[in-house]
Every structure is written in structure tokens, then in C-alpha cells.
Amino acid sequence: MVTDGWEGLKARFAHLLGRGGAEESETAAARLEQSRMALVASSGAKLERVRADQEIVWRARLVDLLEREPGAEEELLALVAEVRARMTGPAGWVEQHAVASGWAQQVIQGQGVQNVSFGGQRGSGSGEQ
């Protein structure tokens, strides 16, 4: 709900939850936006509590939807698959620059192919090695 691609997904989830009805879809969109705002406004331990609360709320709403409209299952599964693909897909090119001096240590984490080079800043005139 807090990613760049959320707006397009929100409209599709609202349409699914409202089952195509304009008023019901608007209500669903408003509820989705309230949930997003609660997540955006939180951090740390509070964010984890809000995230858990929202999961309970939306799980119940989706169960209600599927009980009322069993035919919605296929569309819901397709949306969930798309969300998962976006969340686990490649992040694209990521470039990190880190500088340390003295006895400092650094850890850089990532996945995929990583190229690490050391000593690129020698001769910068700062006297640090």
C-alpha cells in the first residue's frame, strides 16, 4: 500500500471489492486509502502493530467478499499474484557508495550479482588510507 505502484492496484482492488458498483467501489477505495494512511503515518514498533491490525481487517473483508461472491476468487488470486510479483521482483540497478577510514568496518547487503572494489579513494589528498 505504500509503494509507487499502489494507485493502479488500489483501483483494481476497489473495483473487485465493490464488485463493479460505483458506490461500493468508492467505499472500498476510501477504506484502502485509510489503511494506506495509517501505514504511512507509522514507524518502528507502531508500524508493525498497524500492519498486523490492517492484515486482520483486510483478511476479514476478503473472506466476506469470497463468501458473498465465490466467483471473485479468480480475480482476487490474479491480483494477489501481481502484488507478490511486484514485491519480489528485481529492484533494478542499485548503486551504493560507502566510504570508511581508520579502523571502521562496513557491511553492504544485497542479493544478485555484486561487484565490490576496495581502495578507490586513495590519493584523495586527505591523508587517510
Side-chain angles (χ1 to χ4, degrees):
M1 288 184 153
V2 295
T3 63
D4 292 337
W6 173 243
E7 284 302 313
L9 287 171
K10 179 177 80 171
R12 291 174 55 200
F13 270 106
H15 180 78
L16 172 66
L17 291 162
R19 298 308 295 151
E23 187 174 326
E24 294 84 356
S25 294
E26 286 180 28
T27 299
R31 287 178 175 163
L32 288 162
E33 184 60 22
Q34 288 172 346
S35 293
R36 188 188 76 77
M37 293 304 294
L39 291 165
V40 169
S42 303
S43 62
K46 182 180 178 185
L47 175 60
E48 293 307 313
R49 284 191 307 274
V50 170
R51 188 177 288 145
D53 291 346
Q54 290 302 319
E55 181 180 340
I56 291 167
V57 167
W58 286 102
R59 194 178 292 256
R61 286 182 176 150
L62 292 171
V63 167
D64 288 345
L65 168 69
L66 293 174
E67 287 175 351
R68 284 190 326 267
E69 301 279 344
E73 181 179 6
E74 189 175 317
E75 187 178 351
L76 175 59
L77 289 174
L79 276 171
V80 169
E82 184 176 338
V83 169
R84 281 190 178 145
R86 288 183 185 201
M87 290 175 61
T88 59
W93 178 263
V94 176
E95 187 171 332
Q96 297 179 333
H97 298 271
V99 177
S101 62
W103 293 97
Q105 295 181 0
Q106 296 181 346
V107 175
I108 299 173
Q109 292 182 314
Q111 71 182 55
V113 176
Q114 297 182 36
N115 297 305
V116 181
S117 55
F118 296 94
Q121 294 297 317
R122 290 183 186 219
S124 64
S126 65
E128 298 175 342
Q129 296 185 22

